[in-house]
């Protein structure tokens, strides 16, 4: 804590970034508790020391909230099969490592403080085969674990994995060539779709009419059924539109092979997305499942048709941005209906024109689906985009999935949760309905302190996710986190987690942009940094020094706020397409913390002089660890090459006088002039430098589930502008430089 | 027809007026209750405690409302709990408009719910079919089950078999149904209410009656005993009086 409170004068110290990645602060708990505490990648709080009273929290001017990634792919997950799942009798909290055992037979809940009895079966520990030591059981030794749920946790028999693919086959869509990629990807991954022998699959294609495919076992080829009455959509046959994958695999493969050619010469330009979604809902409402919708233009026909709302002249507006909220509530209503029947809708938007993502995105937001966006997707003109789409599809089709899930987040008595962020529907006060849960979704909640937390050393939070696995098993994943309670402002500041605070503020700002206005949201973010630093200065600092003073744990806070203000989602004055902006907002709310931070503040490395010094040794590979640089063109040197990792995209910038060694050994090019404008791959050369660079890029890519495209940039590259836009610390025509921003803050703080 | 070989009838459009009526579906519900098939109570120490569970259920939304469905579901659950090793292994239970039919074999119950008018021959043919298939595929694993719905993958077979039995054309092909089902007439028919509720009262009455009978027997023997005792007492008293009289007469008259 002392180190965290070390006072930093932001105006004077220039090198604020740590050498490697920013690490989350460790809660000040006794070591034996902290050892078993939930991993910060799964469960994180904005303040690792919880204030005792709401007034104290208000004084600190920092938001209090939790960020969770509950279904993250974990390498180690204890699974418990037990006839009794021990839960508190009043608040229904699952027994966890932070309960207290009063004696061998009674335990005290750490959330509501009620004393419960230890059931007889719990006294026996199957792992160590000993009796009378309930605190050694795996439920009490692991903060993250999974239960196999008995039948009381099921409203209905576990549903099978059901997948429905809905494809836009209008002329526009077929032009982009996406149909080939989707069919190819499905053919390759058809055996890797999560499920068991009950897995079902179905297909719907649509342009101005809706086409269904009869895939009944025994047919010699798939049969297409066209429904043209889109005003009153119905299912043409009661079954065999959704078929068992194992039994009808050949028919499905036949269909996938012939779909691209079937519509190769179509001249239909209209698009009836709304009726197609209604048909999909009808088809899936009996069982639940996942709908994957691929859309390439604005829906123009039938219910849910949208008009183009974007005014291209307003893209670079310095004032408010309009049309961030949905134009129609059709998609939200349909999403809520889907959610009620355990159907989730994932949206893939592959379009070069405006598609009103603000309205379309609702279909995924409330049904716990995900949105994928590929602007300017085209088979020939954008091969890098095609590769990205292919890799993302592979991950999407093969990743773990949970069905008909619900999640509840409980916290200790005195704390209450009031706002939720993420893709789901809030059913009753704190039950999140998630028809699908996937390992790439993040959630955030905001909390307030209802009653003063006096006499409490620590508080706990528990997230319980009840879901059906793709193999028909009902499981409960439980994460429990414990944090200390403090009653001094300096302790609160010492435990502040700057990355979590930034992410929560970003989610809050997205909500504010949609409900109020973008400028409101921007002001709110700036004020957040001003207020917290003012509070630090007035309440915690004993010696008043000149300059802008911040505690070491919050030294990156103004930098991150400036980064948010310059982010695609919130920036003004720079031309930003409305769909790009809305998608950035969706990603800020949906993605887990680690990827949001990369989106907001990319990591810049110098790569032309990679060495093995300080390298990581992971599974026999030596991964170089270059130092993270500040995002300023000052740091770019003409005789070097720099790699910027921005989460979903990686830029490799080559300086004009770049070391010729780097050009030949890593890029395989004779000189700078030979660097092509649209290079996306590092050639596999036999040199040590090439090896190191490729290993480093591969390591960056492995750490995330989506596939970032690599762009090699030189002076005349079209992407140079987007690369430079990430140079947050620099001044642009419409935004302040980092130093100017600090001065602005200092002015406000000193008032 | 290049590239359009997928369309069997090119340009086939289905409009709302052509939509075929769905055949009335027979709702079927099938599941093995786990607990009652075991000899009670000796459980090994670490096994999970017995709990009733059904490992597969298939309920279609037929014409009936959701409320009726729940009612039948709860009846089915209660029935599963009541069945034990002494229950008949094939039985039909009438429940108003619908009927339950079940087959009990090797510790697994196969239960079907359908309209009372649906031919019993077909239902029991269907249940026998399921029973042989399930026993073949999963019979050995029944004793090792640890979680509910372990055999949910069997649901695909249930669905397929159900379709063949419902489809009227396929029904005629089932004319070669096993001859052992000819004794379907001998399958016991009972009323579900009786089995669920009055069965309880009847057995209580039974025990009460036998109790009463044994008690009355005891009373009878006690009464007899008292009777004989009082007779002896009377005889003794009479004898004493007579002897006293004789002695009195002898000494008075001498």
């Amino acid at each position: 804590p002392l180190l965290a409170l070390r006072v930093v004068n932001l105006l004077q110290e220039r090198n604020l970034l740590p050498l490697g990645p920013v690490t989350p602060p460790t809660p000040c708990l006794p070591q034996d508790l902290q050892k078993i505490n939930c991993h910060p990648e799964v469960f994180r709080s904005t303040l690792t020391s919880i204030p005792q009273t709401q007034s104290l929290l208000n004084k600190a001017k920092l938001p209090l909230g939790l960020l969770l990634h509950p279904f993250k792919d974990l390498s180690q997950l204890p699974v418990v099969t037990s006839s009794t799942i021990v839960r508190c009798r009043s608040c229904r909290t699952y027994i966890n490592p932070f309960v207290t055992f009063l004696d061998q037979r009674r335990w005290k809940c750490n959330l509501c403080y009620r004393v419960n009895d230890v059931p007889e079966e719990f006294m026996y520990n199957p792992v160590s085969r000993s009796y009378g030591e309930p605190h050694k059981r795996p439920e009490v030794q692991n903060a993250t674990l999974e239960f196999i749920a008995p039948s009381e946790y099921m409203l209905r028999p576990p549903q099978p994995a059901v997948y429905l693919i809905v494809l836009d086959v209008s002329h526009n869509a077929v032009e982009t060539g996406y149909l080939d990629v989707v069919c190819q990807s499905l053919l390759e991954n058809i055996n890797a779709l999560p499920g068991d022998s009950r897995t079902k699959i179905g297909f719907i294609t649509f342009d101005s009419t809706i086409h269904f495919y009869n895939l009944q076992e025994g047919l010699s080829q798939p049969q297409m059924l066209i429904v043209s009455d889109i005003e009153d959509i119905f299912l043409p046959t009661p079954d065999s539109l959704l078929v068992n994958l194992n039994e009808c695999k050949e028919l499905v493969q036949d269909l996938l092979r012939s779909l691209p050619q079937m519509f190769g010469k179509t001249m239909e330009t209209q698009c009836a997305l709304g009726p197609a979604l209604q048909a999909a809902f009808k088809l899936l409402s009996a069982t639940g499942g996942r709908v994957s919708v691929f859309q390439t233009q604005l829906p123009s026909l039938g219910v849910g048709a949208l008009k183009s709302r974007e005014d291209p002249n307003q893209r670079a507006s310095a004032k408010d941005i309009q049309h961030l909220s949905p134009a129609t509530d059709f998609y939200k209503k349909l999403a809520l209906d889907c959610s009620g029947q355990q159907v989730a809708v994932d949206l893939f938007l592959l379009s070069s024109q405006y598609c009103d993502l603000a309205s379309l995105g609702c279909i995924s937001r409330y049904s716990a689906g995900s949105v994928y966006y590929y602007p300017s997707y085209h088979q020939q003109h954008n091969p890098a985009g095609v590769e990205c789409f292919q890799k993302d599809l592979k991950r999407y089709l093969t990743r773990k999935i949970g069905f008909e899930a619900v999640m509840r987040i409980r916290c200790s008595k005195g704390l209450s949760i009031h706002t939720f962020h993420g893709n789901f529907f809030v059913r009753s006060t704190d039950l999140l309905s998630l028809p699908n849960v996937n390992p790439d979704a993040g959630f955030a909640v905001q909390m307030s302190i209802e009653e003063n937390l006096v006499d409490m050393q620590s508080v706990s939070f528990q997230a319980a996710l009840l879901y059906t696995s793709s193999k028909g098993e009902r499981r409960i994943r439980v994460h429990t986190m414990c944090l200390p309670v403090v009653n001094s402002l300096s302790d609160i500041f010492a435990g502040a987690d700057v990355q979590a605070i930034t992410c929560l503020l970003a989610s809050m700002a997205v909500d504010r942009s949609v409900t109020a206005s973008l400028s409101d949201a921007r002001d709110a973010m700036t004020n957040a940094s001003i207020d917290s630093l003012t509070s630090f200065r007035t309440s915690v600092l004993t010696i008043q020094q000149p300059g802008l003073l911040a505690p070491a744990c919050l030294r990156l806070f103004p930098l991150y706020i400036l980064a948010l203000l310059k982010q695609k989602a919130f920036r003004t004055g720079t031309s930003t397409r409305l769909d790009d902006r809305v998608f950035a907002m969706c990603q800020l709310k949906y993605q887990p913390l680690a990827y949001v931070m990369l989106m907001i503040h990319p990591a810049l490395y110098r790569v032309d002089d990679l060495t093995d010094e300080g390298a990581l040794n992971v599974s026999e590979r030596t991964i170089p660890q270059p130092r993270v640089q500040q995002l300023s063109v000052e740091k770019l040197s003409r005789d070097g090459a720099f790699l910027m990792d921005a989460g979903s995209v990686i830029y490799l910038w080559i300086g004009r006088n770049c070391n010729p060694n780097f050009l030949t050994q890593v890029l395989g090019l004779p000189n700078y002039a030979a660097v092509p404008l649209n290079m996306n791959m590092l050639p596999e050369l036999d040199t040590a430098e090439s090896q190191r660079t490729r290993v480093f890029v591969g390591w960056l890519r492995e750490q995330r589930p989506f596939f970032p495209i690599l762009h090699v940039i030189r002076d005349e590259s079209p992407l140079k502008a987007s690369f430079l836009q990430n140079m947050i610390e620099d001044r642009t025509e419409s935004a302040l430089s980092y130093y100017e921003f600090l001065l602005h803050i200092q002015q406000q703080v000193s008032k | 027809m290049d590239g359009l070989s997928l369309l069997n009838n090119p340009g086939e459009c289905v409009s709302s007026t052509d939509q075929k009526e769905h055949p009335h579906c027979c709702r079927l519900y099938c599941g093995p209750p786990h607990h009652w098939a075991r000899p009670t109570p000796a459980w090994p120490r670490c096994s999970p405690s017995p709990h009733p569970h059904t490992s597969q259920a298939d309920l279609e939304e037929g014409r009936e409302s959701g409320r009726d469905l729940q009612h039948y579901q709860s009846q089915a659950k209660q029935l599963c709990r009541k069945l034990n090793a002494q229950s008949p292994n094939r039985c039909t239970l009438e429940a108003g408009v619908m009927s339950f039919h079940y087959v009990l074999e090797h510790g697994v119950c196969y239960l079907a719910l359908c309209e009372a008018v649906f031919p019993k021959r077909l239902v029991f043919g269907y249940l026998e079919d399921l029973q042989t298939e399930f026993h073949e595929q999963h019979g050995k694993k029944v004793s090792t089950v640890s979680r509910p719905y372990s055999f949910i993958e069997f649901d695909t077979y249930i669905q397929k078999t159900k379709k063949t039995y419902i489809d009227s054309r396929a029904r005629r092909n089932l004319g070669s149904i096993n001859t052992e089902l000819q004794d379907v007439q001998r399958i016991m028919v009972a009323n579900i209410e009786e089995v669920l509720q009055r069965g309880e009262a009847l057995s209580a009455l039974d025990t009460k009656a036998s109790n009463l009978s044994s008690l009355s027997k005891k009373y009878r023997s006690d009464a007899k005993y008292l009777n004989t005792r009082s007779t002896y007492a009377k005889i003794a008293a009479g004898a004493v009086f007579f002897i006293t009289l004789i002695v009195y007469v002898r000494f008075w008259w001498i």
Side-chain angles (χ1 to χ4, degrees):
Chain A
L2 282 178
L3 214 57
L5 279 180
R6 179 179 66 88
V7 176
V8 175
N9 186 350
L10 296 174
L11 290 173
Q12 284 176 346
E13 282 193 39
R14 301 308 306 282
N15 292 335
L16 296 171
L17 293 169
L19 286 175
V22 176
T23 47
T26 320
C28 297
L29 287 172
Q31 209 192 5
D32 54 338
L33 281 183
Q34 183 46 33
K35 230 176 10 160
I36 44 176
N37 211 349
C38 198
H39 198 277
E41 279 181 9
V42 172
F43 213 157
R44 210 147 145 172
S45 168
T46 53
L47 300 173
T48 50
S49 306
I50 307 288
Q52 202 174 48
T53 63
Q54 180 69 28
S55 53
L56 198 59
L57 175 64
N58 291 340
K59 260 200 237 158
K61 300 269 193 272
L62 290 167
L64 179 62
L66 300 170
L67 286 94
L68 31 147
H69 191 180
F71 206 55
K72 183 179 157 74
D73 287 324
L74 293 167
S75 46
Q76 276 182 332
L77 179 65
V79 179
V80 172
T81 316
S82 173
S83 52
T84 45
I85 297 185
V86 182
R87 297 176 74 170
C88 174
R89 260 182 305 167
S90 53
C91 66
R92 310 298 290 147
T93 307
Y94 296 85
I95 198 168
N96 58 73
F98 307 105
V99 303
T100 30
F101 282 93
L102 297 178
D103 47 46
Q104 293 291 357
R105 296 277 167 168
R106 293 180 305 157
W107 63 279
K108 187 165 169 192
C109 175
N110 50 334
L111 265 63
C112 69
Y113 308 108
R114 190 202 166 109
V115 177
N116 297 288
D117 292 317
V118 177
E120 183 60 40
E121 303 86 48
F122 203 74
M123 297 298 291
Y124 175 76
N125 185 353
V127 174
S128 66
R129 296 180 201 272
S130 59
Y131 185 86
E133 290 184 319
H135 55 276
K136 292 242 175 86
R137 277 191 66 125
E139 292 95 325
V140 191
Q141 291 290 320
N142 293 291
T144 293
L145 83 164
E146 197 155 85
F147 293 97
I148 307 279
S151 49
E152 298 88 62
Y153 289 85
M154 304 187 206
L155 284 175
R156 58 176 191 178
Q159 65 163 92
V162 182
Y163 302 109
L164 181 66
I165 320 282
V166 180
L167 298 160
D168 177 3
V169 291
S170 58
H171 175 76
N172 192 38
V174 177
E175 264 292 282
T176 60
Y178 90 92
L179 208 51
D180 286 305
V181 175
V182 172
C183 293
Q184 189 59 33
S185 192
L186 274 167
L187 279 169
E188 278 167 19
N189 294 309
I190 201 157
N191 293 321
L193 283 175
D196 52 9
S197 62
R198 299 183 302 150
T199 306
K200 289 181 139 181
I201 195 164
F203 295 88
I204 292 181
T205 56
F206 66 97
D207 40 34
S208 58
T209 54
I210 317 285
H211 324 131
F212 299 87
Y213 295 89
N214 183 349
L215 295 165
Q216 192 172 38
E217 199 185 354
L219 284 180
S220 57
Q221 44 187 0
Q223 186 189 38
M224 183 204 256
L225 306 164
I226 305 178
V227 174
S228 49
D229 184 7
I230 58 174
E231 297 303 321
D232 182 16
I233 199 79
F234 63 93
L235 298 177
T237 89
D239 38 35
S240 57
L241 294 177
L242 209 55
V243 292
N244 188 305
L245 180 58
N246 281 347
E247 291 171 10
C248 307
K249 197 172 280 191
E250 279 91 40
L251 274 175
V252 171
Q253 286 166 328
D254 274 344
L255 179 64
L256 288 171
R257 277 185 213 111
S258 46
L259 261 180
Q261 287 97 304
M262 257 164 69
F263 296 101
K265 297 187 182 55
T266 178
M267 282 298 140
E268 292 275 358
T269 51
Q270 304 264 50
C271 170
L273 176 63
L277 288 174
Q278 285 177 324
F281 170 60
K282 280 209 162 75
L283 196 50
L284 246 50
S285 53
T287 48
R290 180 179 80 182
V291 181
S292 316
V293 181
F294 293 83
Q295 173 75 356
T296 57
Q297 61 178 54
L298 211 56
S300 52
L301 210 57
V303 66
L306 297 168
K307 296 202 184 352
S308 177
R309 297 189 288 170
E310 185 190 20
D311 180 3
N313 300 330
Q314 291 295 318
R315 279 191 194 150
S317 158
K319 293 175 300 176
D320 263 328
I321 307 290
Q322 305 288 333
H323 308 304
L324 290 172
S325 45
T328 162
D329 61 356
F330 165 73
Y331 294 99
K332 178 173 176 181
K333 281 216 188 103
L334 186 58
L336 293 181
D337 289 338
C338 287
S339 181
Q341 302 290 80
Q342 310 295 353
V343 176
V345 182
D346 294 323
L347 179 67
F348 287 80
L349 203 56
L350 310 117
S351 164
S352 45
Q353 308 141 357
Y354 178 66
C355 279
D356 203 348
L357 186 54
S359 309
L360 290 182
C362 292
I363 191 80
S364 297
R365 196 172 316 146
Y366 298 100
S367 65
S370 30
V371 177
Y372 289 82
Y373 180 60
Y374 302 93
S376 323
Y377 181 89
H378 196 280
Q379 206 174 328
Q380 271 112 24
H381 307 324
N382 190 359
V386 173
E387 195 193 354
C388 185
F389 182 48
Q390 275 171 329
K391 294 252 168 46
D392 283 349
L393 258 186
K394 180 166 185 208
R395 162 77 181 165
Y396 173 75
L397 291 171
T398 54
R399 71 184 175 192
K400 192 165 159 155
I401 186 170
F403 294 97
E404 49 187 3
V406 289
M407 181 159 73
R408 197 175 236 132
I409 305 170
R410 296 180 172 91
C411 37
S412 290
K413 188 152 171 280
L415 293 165
S416 80
I417 298 179
H418 58 80
T419 311
F420 298 86
H421 299 280
N423 286 5
F424 44 69
F425 177 56
V426 185
R427 210 174 277 286
S428 80
T429 44
D430 58 349
L431 191 65
L432 305 179
S433 169
L434 299 160
N436 268 8
V437 59
N438 68 70
D440 302 331
F443 305 91
V445 300
Q446 282 169 255
M447 297 189 292
S448 60
I449 305 173
E450 304 274 289
E451 297 165 17
N452 293 346
L453 305 170
V454 287
D455 302 330
M456 288 184 215
Q457 302 284 22
S458 60
V459 290
S460 303
F461 308 92
Q462 189 176 76
L465 176 68
L466 171 64
Y467 69 99
T468 300
S469 76
S470 51
K471 303 230 180 307
E473 267 188 12
R474 195 83 169 137
R475 290 180 173 221
I476 312 170
R477 191 174 291 201
V478 179
H479 302 286
T480 317
M481 176 169 74
C482 182
L483 293 176
V485 175
V486 296
N487 65 354
S488 82
L489 260 182
S490 51
D491 286 332
I492 297 177
F493 275 102
D497 182 345
V498 67
Q499 291 191 321
I501 293 175
T502 311
C503 287
L504 188 61
L505 276 176
S507 294
M508 288 159 68
V510 169
D511 280 351
R512 183 74 79 89
S513 313
V514 175
T515 51
S517 72
L518 191 64
S519 43
D520 263 358
R522 289 174 60 94
D523 290 338
M525 286 192 284
T526 318
N527 289 340
S529 58
I530 295 173
D531 290 343
S532 55
L533 290 179
T534 312
S535 166
F536 178 69
R537 184 196 167 89
T538 48
S539 318
V540 182
L541 278 187
T542 41
I543 316 162
Q544 297 297 332
Q545 301 162 21
L548 181 59
L549 303 167
C553 52
L554 284 181
R555 69 189 190 279
L556 296 171
F557 195 32
L559 179 62
Y560 287 154
I561 295 290
L562 183 64
L564 270 176
L565 291 172
K566 291 190 174 178
Q567 227 280 328
K568 234 184 240 184
F570 302 115
R571 67 186 182 202
T572 54
T574 317
S575 172
T576 315
R577 292 169 50 186
L578 194 54
D579 275 346
D580 288 355
R581 185 186 290 273
V582 173
F583 180 64
M585 286 184 171
C586 291
Q587 291 296 84
L588 283 177
K589 284 194 82 160
Y590 170 78
Q591 292 217 318
L593 187 142
Y595 315 133
V596 176
M597 283 318 299
L598 274 177
M599 229 176 108
I600 298 176
H601 188 271
L604 183 68
Y605 307 95
R606 181 165 185 158
V607 292
D608 60 308
D609 54 359
L610 285 177
T611 60
D612 284 341
E613 203 183 299
L616 274 185
N617 273 318
V618 173
S619 50
E620 294 161 12
R621 285 178 306 162
T622 318
I623 304 169
Q625 300 284 294
R627 195 203 151 106
V628 178
Q629 310 275 347
Q630 281 168 274
L631 289 168
S632 164
V633 292
E634 265 183 353
K635 297 290 169 182
L636 293 181
S637 140
R638 280 197 186 270
D639 48 2
F642 290 83
L643 188 101
M644 178 191 280
D645 179 8
S648 53
V649 65
I650 296 181
Y651 299 108
L652 179 58
W653 183 84
I654 315 285
R656 191 173 276 279
N657 301 332
C658 181
N659 190 353
N661 199 30
F662 181 79
L663 290 171
T664 46
Q665 307 285 36
V666 178
L667 296 179
L669 300 165
N671 53 30
Y672 183 75
V675 175
L677 284 176
N678 55 357
M679 185 171 176
N680 293 112
M681 260 186 32
L682 289 176
E684 281 184 33
L685 301 171
D686 225 352
T687 63
E689 288 87 348
S690 170
Q691 175 83 349
R692 271 198 215 109
T693 317
R694 276 181 293 117
V695 160
F696 179 58
V697 174
W699 176 71
L700 287 178
R701 277 178 164 156
E702 269 164 29
Q703 289 173 347
R704 61 206 68 161
F706 46 87
F707 183 77
I709 324 177
L710 175 73
H711 293 285
V712 177
I713 302 194
R714 50 173 292 182
D715 268 346
E716 297 81 22
S717 285
L719 286 170
K720 185 174 167 199
S722 15
F723 173 72
L724 290 177
Q725 272 164 7
N726 281 324
M727 290 300 177
I728 297 162
E729 302 197 13
D730 296 329
R731 186 171 216 277
T732 65
E733 316 89 51
S734 48
L736 300 171
S737 77
Y738 178 52
Y739 194 72
E740 288 167 358
F741 185 66
L742 286 178
L743 287 175
H744 169 72
I745 295 185
Q746 189 211 12
Q747 219 183 9
Q748 303 293 318
V749 167
S750 315
K751 269 198 199 145
Chain B
M1 284 283 183
D2 55 338
L4 295 174
S5 52
L6 277 185
L7 290 172
N8 287 349
N9 304 325
E12 171 179 303
C13 284
V14 184
S15 73
S16 47
T17 51
D18 289 351
Q19 191 178 10
K20 278 205 307 217
E21 278 282 281
H22 300 193
H24 189 106
C25 307
C26 164
R27 249 171 300 135
L28 297 156
Y29 179 81
C30 176
H34 182 69
H35 63 297
W36 55 264
R38 308 310 189 75
T40 52
W43 284 98
R45 200 148 176 236
C46 310
S47 71
S49 59
H51 57 273
H53 69 254
T54 46
S55 84
Q56 50 245 4
D58 153 48
L59 290 146
E60 276 184 25
E61 286 305 305
R63 303 283 164 80
E64 310 228 359
S65 67
R67 202 165 45 93
D68 288 341
L69 198 62
Q70 274 187 343
H71 176 60
Y72 289 122
Q73 253 182 302
S74 68
Q75 277 188 333
K77 283 204 179 109
Q78 285 178 45
L79 180 66
C80 282
R81 277 188 223 121
K82 289 244 184 277
L83 292 171
N84 53 38
Q86 276 75 43
S87 307
N89 66 351
R90 273 155 186 58
C91 186
T92 297
L93 298 158
E94 290 167 358
V97 183
M98 313 288 277
S99 296
F100 287 97
H101 309 266
Y102 72 79
V103 164
L104 275 183
E105 205 75 42
H106 302 288
V108 178
C109 168
Y110 304 85
L111 177 70
L113 168 71
C114 48
E115 285 186 323
V117 298
F118 196 79
K120 281 210 291 194
R121 191 171 48 93
L122 285 172
V123 183
F124 280 98
Y126 167 69
L127 289 174
E128 291 287 342
D129 194 340
L130 289 184
Q131 187 263 317
T132 29
E133 183 67 25
F134 183 82
H135 187 65
E136 210 180 285
Q137 279 191 16
H138 303 292
K140 295 194 188 62
K141 295 185 246 166
V142 170
S143 50
T144 60
V145 152
S146 60
R147 58 181 178 86
Y149 295 103
S150 306
F151 303 113
I152 194 147
E153 292 186 320
F154 191 63
D155 190 49
T156 1
Y157 186 80
I158 295 182
Q159 299 293 337
K160 271 204 307 197
T161 324
K162 185 176 73 169
K163 283 206 182 76
T164 41
Y165 279 86
I166 291 179
D167 186 9
S168 47
R169 272 171 290 164
R171 270 191 223 175
R172 282 179 224 126
N173 299 343
L174 295 172
S176 55
I177 280 181
N178 334 345
T179 48
E180 56 191 75
L181 283 182
Q182 279 167 3
D183 58 1
V184 128
Q185 279 84 19
R186 290 201 271 115
I187 291 179
M188 187 183 126
V189 177
N191 189 299
I192 187 131
E193 295 295 321
E194 285 174 8
V195 174
L196 287 185
Q197 288 158 17
R198 309 237 220 100
E200 187 84 27
L202 280 174
S203 62
L205 202 62
D206 193 25
T207 45
K208 278 200 191 124
S210 56
N211 223 16
L212 192 64
S213 130
S214 61
L215 277 175
S216 66
K217 278 200 191 98
K218 186 157 176 285
Y219 175 74
R220 191 168 164 206
S221 61
D222 281 344
K224 252 197 213 154
Y225 169 67
L226 278 173
N227 230 6
T228 46
R229 233 180 56 173
S230 77
T231 320
Y232 290 149
K234 278 194 208 137
I235 293 173
V240 163
F241 176 71
F242 204 58
I243 290 171
T244 324
L245 187 65
I246 292 176
V247 166
Y248 174 71
V249 164
R250 290 266 323 254
F251 281 116
W252 199 249
W253 286 102
I254 294 192

